[in-house]
Amino acid sequence: LPEQEAFDIEYWLLEEAKLQRMPKPKPLVGKVALVTGGAGGIGQAIARRMLAEGACVVLADIDEDALASVTADLAKAHGKDHVRGVRCDVTDEASVIAAYGRAALAFGGVDILVSNAGIASAAPIDETTLALWNRNQSILATGYFLVAREAFKLMKAQGTGGSIVMIASKNGMVASNQATAYCAAKAAEIQLSRSFALEGAPLGIRSNVVNPDAVIRGSKIWTGKWSEERAAANKVDEGDLEAFYRDRSMLKRSVFPEDIAEATYFFACEDLSAKSTGNILNVDAGNLAAFTR
Ligand code: NAD
């Protein structure tokens, strides 16, 4: 190489190395995320991930005790100025509207919605009462619609786009034993997300779905009655449930709340997923791709 060219390359390599050593700005600094069900297992992990990337987070949950304790934990770790807990019932329109009002008051708006508040219920078809059916539809299908509609309105008014992430379920794609009402409501969430993607695209609002498979550890859903019923439906001992789900997966790995948080962060972050909308990311260790047993 001619001397000047060799010098240029060396100079460029040194500059590049310097850049690598400089702390990188966190991708979600200046963004506000509202996480419904933020006091639960998956919601909490998502909130932590968003905070770690620099976002301010509003946890919206109906369980006031859990909300107070999770909000205090997160505020201790990430600073009081970055976290708020707001009591919110996603089935109640006024409560949802008020939660966005509180978020706007605290942080000036909302750029990311993670719709995640949920329940689980199990019953064979002939024991699925109208009340059980309606409970699933109102918290999951209607609740997801209400929180996303209010996010959509706010993001439209802000004029700066936004990201909606719906935490649906593998059960929105395939049926599961004794979970008819839940499966139907989770399928509705997936279809909702596509509609929000379509109407949101001209406004720079993206909408995507993360589908967890069974997340046993760290989730309130997988405790008590539900876990008992899942064990019975799958004919395994309750203590063996985690191993059951892990062993039947293609990767032979368990899915944890942090895995769902990582996938959610992907869709929340414009730098990573600016060109993804109306999409679904299954975090299922391969379960949906093929029958492995
Ligand atoms: P979780 O029970 O730990 O958390 C759910 C949270 O939602 C709770 O804090 C609860 O108080 C809150 N909530 C319930 N009803 C509400 C309402 N009406 N308004 C506001 N908040 C309400 O459960 P999780 O495992 O963290 O589940 C989070 C989401 O992930 C749910 O939508 C669930 O269906 C979905 N999911 C979970 C699993 C799993 O295996 N845990 C699998 C697939 C999908």
Side-chain angles (χ1 to χ4, degrees):
L1 284 175
E3 206 172 299
Q4 180 62 39
E5 209 174 317
F7 175 79
D8 285 350
I9 291 174
E10 194 178 331
Y11 175 78
W12 180 82
L13 286 172
L14 280 170
E15 286 298 300
E16 190 59 26
K18 227 192 283 170
L19 275 178
Q20 294 292 335
R21 283 196 303 274
M22 275 167 65
K24 297 209 173 38
K26 293 179 174 177
L28 298 187
V29 169
K31 301 286 182 195
V32 180
L34 187 139
V35 183
T36 69
I42 292 174
Q44 204 179 127
I46 291 170
R48 279 182 207 285
R49 189 73 179 88
M50 301 286 169
L51 284 161
E53 297 301 338
C56 290
V57 171
V58 178
L59 306 164
D61 204 292
I62 201 170
D63 181 339
E64 291 184 60
D65 291 342
L67 187 61
S69 122
V70 173
T71 307
D73 277 359
L74 293 182
K76 207 190 276 172
H78 297 275
K80 275 212 295 242
D81 295 346
H82 288 78
V83 194
R84 292 286 183 286
V86 176
R87 192 212 172 261
C88 171
D89 177 354
V90 297
T91 67
D92 175 349
E93 193 171 26
S95 172
V96 170
I97 293 171
Y100 281 96
R102 297 270 304 276
L105 208 61
F107 298 124
V110 170
D111 308 287
I112 298 160
L113 161 67
V114 183
S115 182
N116 162 79
I119 48 150
S121 64
I125 290 172
D126 49 2
E127 289 168 28
T128 300
T129 60
L130 183 59
L132 184 67
W133 170 267
N134 284 341
R135 182 168 152 73
N136 276 272
Q137 306 315 311
S138 77
I139 296 176
L140 302 172
T142 309
Y144 273 51
F145 166 68
L146 284 178
V147 294
R149 186 194 64 190
E150 290 312 305
F152 187 93
K153 286 198 221 165
L154 189 57
M155 289 170 184
K156 186 175 174 181
Q158 289 169 182
T160 48
S163 175
I164 295 172
V165 188
M166 305 216 183
I167 310 302
S169 170
K170 173 198 74 181
N171 288 148
M173 313 277 284
V174 296
S176 197
N177 251 340
Q178 304 186 358
T180 309
Y182 180 79
C183 291
K186 285 290 171 188
E189 293 171 4
I190 294 172
Q191 195 59 2
L192 261 182
S193 171
R194 294 188 178 116
S195 296
F196 277 85
L198 184 64
E199 286 194 36
L203 305 165
I205 300 169
R206 299 180 295 112
S207 180
N208 292 286
V209 166
V210 172
N211 278 335
D213 193 1
V215 177
I216 295 178
R217 267 188 263 158
S219 162
K220 285 187 266 169
I221 277 183
W222 282 94
T223 53
K225 197 162 177 286
W226 176 248
S227 160
E228 233 173 74
E229 283 164 344
R230 281 298 88 197
N234 289 303
K235 300 187 175 54
V236 289
D237 288 340
E238 219 181 311
D240 297 335
L241 257 189
E242 187 182 340
F244 167 78
Y245 283 106
R246 185 183 60 234
D247 293 348
R248 75 165 188 187
S249 74
M250 203 184 276
L251 291 174
K252 308 283 177 236
R253 300 188 71 175
S254 300
V255 178
F256 298 120
E258 292 72 20
D259 299 315
I260 310 307
E262 198 61 36
T264 305
Y265 169 62
F266 171 75
F267 283 134
C269 179
E270 189 75 13
D271 290 352
L272 295 176
S273 60
K275 291 169 193 168
S276 296
T277 196
N279 263 303
I280 299 174
L281 180 44
N282 299 314
V283 185
D284 63 343
N287 249 333
L288 280 167
F291 288 111
T292 53
R293 52 191 268 161

